[in-house]
Amino acid sequence: MHVPDHLLDPAVSLTTAAVAATSVAVAAWRAGGERSRHDLTFGAAVTGFVFAAQMVNFAVLPGTSGHLMGAALAAALLGPWRGILSVTMVLIVQCLVFADGGLTALGTNVVLMALLGVGCTAAVMGLVDRVAARPSPLLGAGLGALISVPAAALVFCGLYLLGGATSVPAGDLLGSMLGVHALIGVGEAVISVSVLAFVMALAPGLAAADERAFVGSAQPRGVLGLVGAGLVCAAVLSGVASSAPDGLESVAMAYSFVDTSGTHPFAGSVLAGYGESTGWQIAAVGVLGWALTGALAWLLPMTLRSSRSSVATCPA
């Protein structure tokens, strides 16, 4: 669900950009102050995996595909604050390096996929734990993933009806977006639960949602498992992914508002469209993107910690 440029009017885009910037700043501050067992390598592995897994589109209907949004998984593995930052970093790299998702719509995409996706999952996981009266990370993450994708589609519909480029009947837009994204949410839930269970089996207590005692000696297994899974997605599965339009693009084509999106400012770059126009192999592009997002996720926490340390030691 990568919203392109000019699909929404400037007022809506600026509003979502302001909400995204403020929320991400809060998340960065809160994440920088956390004393967490999630070291830099685990956060980098999670972020790289989310990027790589988003490249693997799967068919949901004839002529329509979906892909992992990653917010539910990031929330379960890293917690809400780090989860927001993880998905945001993926979206930034996709937009600025691969021209995927509009530059003017970057704030909208952060709101829909990072803030709403992580927030929805965190709320659902907390509710499941309270109702079950015990930690239920797999059930909570699965339900969070299942709900967060159509929730993001619902909010997009609201934004489009407020300031969309063309007029679309509200009932038709809501029905189409919610229908296809409910199916994508099923795939999101299956992937999220599978990867969370994989990490929990390799490294007990490493995932934020896993309340078992943390086994420090097992952490490298969890990190290496995610690194390996990310490389498989980027270098292998991306090459056999569905080429059909994703849920948002499919609906935009059906209601003839896909052509209202403008040309991405970086559409002429070498890696735009994941190298499609310049003949780059998708596997090479996938591995490069995986490495870039992982490196960004490794560097940002160090910067945040340094900033907080400087503020804390600054004389009054």
Side-chain angles (χ1 to χ4, degrees), residues 202-216:
L202 288 176
L206 178 59
D210 187 356
E211 296 192 8
R212 294 176 297 173
F214 176 52
V215 181

Side-chain angles (χ1 to χ4, degrees), residues 51 88-100 288-289 292-293 296:
F51 173 90
T88 298
M89 285 185 278
V90 170
L91 294 171
I92 289 172
V93 170
Q94 289 172 334
C95 177
L96 300 184
V97 180
F98 301 102
D100 185 12
L288 177 60
L292 283 174
T293 50
L296 182 60

Side-chain angles (χ1 to χ4, degrees), residues 15-16 38 42 56 119 127 150 155 162 197 203 225 263 266 290:
T15 300
T16 56
H38 308 125
F42 184 57
V56 185
L127 178 61
V155 173
L162 282 174
T263 301
F266 304 137
W290 167 82

Side-chain angles (χ1 to χ4, degrees), residues 28-173:
W29 184 256
R30 293 293 297 271
E34 286 180 347
R35 293 186 179 275
S36 172
R37 59 181 176 268
H38 308 125
D39 70 357
L40 300 180
T41 55
F42 184 57
V46 171
T47 305
F49 176 82
V50 170
F51 173 90
Q54 283 198 11
M55 295 184 68
V56 185
N57 281 47
F58 49 87
V60 292
L61 289 171
T64 303
S65 70
H67 62 74
L68 182 77
M69 189 163 69
L73 181 61
L77 292 174
L78 299 174
W81 304 119
R82 295 170 189 271
I84 288 172
L85 295 181
S86 177
V87 179
T88 298
M89 285 185 278
V90 170
L91 294 171
I92 289 172
V93 170
Q94 289 172 334
C95 177
L96 300 184
V97 180
F98 301 102
D100 185 12
L103 184 60
T104 59
L106 180 57
T108 301
N109 287 322
V110 169
V111 167
L112 295 176
M113 288 191 274
L115 303 182
L116 183 61
V118 171
C120 181
T121 300
V124 169
M125 291 182 74
L127 178 61
V128 168
D129 286 351
R130 287 193 294 274
V131 171
R134 61 184 177 84
S136 305
L138 296 177
L139 177 60
L143 288 176
L146 186 67
I147 294 170
S148 64
V149 176
L154 178 62
V155 173
F156 168 80
C157 290
L159 294 175
Y160 194 85
L161 293 173
L162 282 174
T166 61
S167 177
V168 178
D172 293 345
L173 181 64

